[in-house]
Amino acid sequence: MTPPGITPSRETNLPRNTVNSADVRDARNELGVRLRGLRRAAGLTGRQLAASLSWPPSKISKLENGQQTPSDADVRAWTLAVGAGRETDSVLAELHTLETRYAELQRLLRGGQVQVQQAAARRESKTALLRMFESTFVPGLLQTADYARYRFAQSARVFGRRVPIEDAVGERMKRQEILYDRTRAFHVVITEPVLHYALSPPDVMLGQLDRIMSLATLPNVRLGVIPVDAEWAIAPAHGFWVYDDRLVVVETFAAELNLSQAAEIELYTKIFETLALDAVYDRRARTLIAKAADAVEDRLRGNPETPDEKL
């Protein structure tokens, strides 16, 4: 089934997002300023620090001026040499944030949803506990192939570029194999409107709701639905995924944000836990899914046209 507005093709390609090299340069400069501040607080000149580390003075200059990215070993050596060992973990976290931004930029420069799905699969393969919150879409790991086609088609319409939809769908379906790995746990929280939004034709949405109901029975998948009439402790501003305690991923129209600072992860974990308390689970969640399915069936009966006839 081809989503409306998209010519059937395997060459349809998602546009590059708007993250640019200035983001990476700014982050590298900020890290350099941090290293310079630690050196000056220790009362050392650049040459003195270089001598103590057996580095050429030019390396000190390049690191402090954002012309070179330090390694983990460089950061550890630097903080110890300036007597700031207590700052090591914090500076390393800043470095890893920079590396994540750089990796993200490289992915965006290459472009393509196939690569995006493969990168997501690699993140998930390193994760023991994955927490997902979505307020608009069914999370990718729970999507049917037909529902996923409409999501990729939307991206193509928004950005006016071509997307290899079938290839991207195939990669997303491969990712879902991880749900059957009992050594991993998945906590999914969605809002009730996710079950009702007409983001695909009624027959596609019916299949999607059945899929959600089925996956919710897996022993390592905990599915919560926040009822539309819940008294929200925190407004559902946007979706986000928390990978163990090491990474938060937030998708926007323009980019995929990777947050790896300890304070960011702690904040999003707290927000997820608060949202999860507003959700209902098990029988009550299944009741909301069944209610949504009844509403979709009513829409389907009220429109005798098939999706193919509308295209």
Side-chain angles (χ1 to χ4, degrees):
M1 180 185 301
T2 304
I6 300 297
T7 302
S9 171
R10 293 176 64 87
E11 301 178 359
T12 327
N13 205 15
L14 186 69
R16 294 173 181 174
N17 291 320
T18 57
V19 174
N20 56 62
S21 58
D23 298 320
V24 174
R25 184 172 60 250
D26 290 346
R28 188 183 289 122
N29 286 338
E30 290 171 7
L31 180 57
V33 169
R34 177 89 179 271
L35 293 173
R36 182 186 299 116
L38 292 175
R39 173 182 61 76
R40 288 178 174 173
L44 296 175
T45 66
R47 288 189 174 276
Q48 288 172 331
L49 178 58
S52 70
L53 294 170
S54 299
W55 290 354
S58 61
K59 180 172 180 176
I60 302 295
S61 176
K62 289 179 180 178
L63 292 175
E64 290 187 351
N65 289 293
Q67 298 172 347
Q68 180 179 331
T69 302
S71 65
D72 283 18
D74 290 340
V75 167
R76 291 190 179 95
W78 188 295
T79 54
L80 290 176
V82 300
R86 65 187 181 283
E87 301 287 338
T88 301
D89 289 344
S90 176
V91 179
L92 283 173
E94 191 169 341
L95 169 61
H96 296 158
T97 298
L98 166 60
E99 291 172 338
T100 299
R101 290 180 185 174
Y102 179 75
E104 172 67 6
L105 175 60
Q106 294 306 304
R107 180 186 67 75
L108 295 178
L109 290 176
R110 288 194 301 271
Q113 267 292 345
V114 170
Q115 291 88 345
V116 173
Q117 298 305 308
Q118 292 170 343
R122 287 192 293 272
R123 284 197 302 264
E124 290 152 4
S125 71
K126 301 174 183 177
T127 303
L129 171 60
L130 178 53
R131 286 160 286 196
M132 299 168 261
F133 171 74
E134 292 292 352
S135 57
T136 305
F137 304 119
V138 174
L141 283 179
L142 276 60
Q143 292 178 8
T144 64
D146 283 339
Y147 185 92
R149 287 187 184 93
Y150 279 84
R151 303 282 55 74
F152 292 127
Q154 173 188 288
S155 295
R157 288 196 300 273
V158 167
F159 294 105
R161 298 285 294 274
R162 297 177 69 80
V163 173
I165 289 180
E166 291 308 313
D167 292 340
V169 169
E171 292 296 331
R172 178 162 288 180
M173 295 303 101
K174 287 180 186 177
R175 285 173 52 200
Q176 297 181 4
E177 295 174 5
I178 201 169
L179 293 173
Y180 301 95
D181 181 348
R182 301 293 179 86
T183 66
R184 305 176 194 278
F186 304 88
H187 189 173
V188 184
V189 176
I190 59 177
T191 64
E192 186 179 357
V194 168
L195 306 172
H196 291 268
Y197 284 138
L199 301 179
S200 64
D203 62 333
V204 172
M205 196 60 196
L206 277 177
Q208 179 60 72
L209 293 172
D210 183 68
R211 172 69 170 164
I212 295 172
M213 189 82 81
S214 175
L215 291 175
T217 66
L218 293 176
N220 58 330
V221 175
R222 188 177 188 220
L223 174 69
V225 180
I226 304 179
V228 68
D229 59 353
E231 294 184 2
W232 296 78
I234 298 177
H238 56 75
F240 59 90
W241 295 30
V242 184
Y243 297 77
D244 292 326
D245 57 357
R246 75 177 194 281
L247 179 68
V248 174
V249 172
V250 180
E251 282 196 12
T252 72
F253 279 109
E256 179 184 88
L257 308 178
N258 295 316
L259 310 176
S260 58
Q261 293 279 9
E264 296 169 331
I265 296 169
E266 182 179 357
L267 172 63
Y268 272 91
T269 299
K270 180 179 179 181
I271 290 172
F272 181 88
E273 291 173 349
T274 302
L275 292 168
L277 289 175
D278 291 331
V280 297
Y281 295 84
D282 303 321
R283 181 182 59 81
R284 294 177 66 191
R286 292 193 296 270
T287 298
L288 293 179
I289 298 171
K291 176 183 174 183
D294 289 342
V296 174
E297 286 181 344
D298 288 342
R299 293 207 311 268
L300 188 58
R301 286 194 296 268
N303 185 357
E305 288 184 307
T306 66
D308 288 338
E309 290 172 338
K310 296 179 185 178
L311 302 182

